Amino acid sequence: FGGSGESQVRDLQWKSFMTVLMTMSGWSTANPDKQPYAWGEPYTSINREYLRLKMRLTPYLYTLSRVAYDTGVPPVRAMVMEFPDDDFLYYPSVGSGQQFMSGPSFLVAPVYKPLSLTEVRDEIYLPAGDWVDYWSGEIKSGPLHLSTYKVPLEITPVFVRA
């Protein structure tokens, strides 16, 4: 993992939905500074927006931490944990293994391929129910497999359970 501004942004995006945040950009020796401003613009501005989002989510994430303490249910959940009756989630796939729930409300589908390879995130799986695209406000009804979800650098797919 050579590290880059893009990999740092993509890493910070999905980690903004976790209770603990540690920034990285691979195991790079090219730029060992892991600060969100280390790679300059446009990465600094995008990182700033995700850190602001994380701060807005603090009460939610704190509540999830308390629930974890009281019940043992983790704040960050595999899809099958939140949707145990969904048979699709029991089979290995991108939709079952490369996305997660941040608590019961946020479905996060991290972008794991660089923009130089693709500008879309394929195989996002929305379980049964209504889901609001966090960025566009568009409502989608599951179960649904999304392909070609556009992911410019400032967007990581996030859906809110309605």
Side-chain angles (χ1 to χ4, degrees):
F1 300 113
S4 68
E6 181 181 353
S7 68
Q8 186 192 47
V9 165
R10 294 301 192 192
D11 187 62
L12 185 68
Q13 287 172 335
W14 65 268
K15 287 181 178 176
S16 294
F17 290 87
M18 303 186 112
T19 54
V20 176
L21 177 69
M22 293 175 18
T23 61
M24 292 189 70
S25 177
W27 302 106
S28 174
T29 55
N31 190 349
D33 186 357
K34 306 303 181 194
Q35 300 302 321
Y37 50 80
W39 291 93
E41 293 297 340
Y43 314 107
T44 298
S45 293
I46 297 168
N47 287 340
R48 182 181 298 116
E49 288 308 310
Y50 276 87
L51 289 169
R52 285 180 177 153
L53 172 59
K54 181 163 182 60
M55 292 304 100
R56 289 193 308 271
L57 290 172
T58 297
Y60 175 75
L61 296 170
Y62 179 85
T63 300
L64 293 176
S65 296
R66 183 61 203 210
V67 168
Y69 175 81
D70 291 340
T71 68
V73 175
V76 177
R77 304 165 186 177
M79 297 294 295
V80 73
M81 184 170 193
E82 197 62 33
F83 301 95
D85 296 328
D86 189 328
D87 291 339
F88 174 78
L89 297 172
Y90 287 92
Y91 298 96
S93 72
V94 173
S96 65
Q98 295 180 348
Q99 62 187 50
F100 64 89
M101 294 295 296
S102 178
S105 302
F106 290 95
L107 186 155
V108 181
V111 177
Y112 52 90
K113 293 181 182 174
L115 288 170
S116 63
L117 295 179
T118 182
E119 296 179 359
V120 298
R121 170 60 156 81
D122 283 326
E123 300 183 55
I124 299 171
Y125 177 68
L126 302 179
D130 288 338
W131 297 90
V132 180
D133 183 316
Y134 182 84
W135 307 109
S136 71
E138 183 181 351
I139 298 174
K140 299 191 180 291
S141 294
L144 180 66
H145 295 267
L146 296 176
S147 291
T148 66
Y149 185 95
K150 293 188 185 318
V151 287
L153 189 57
E154 66 275 5
I155 298 293
T156 202
V158 176
F159 295 88
V160 183
R161 198 176 194 178

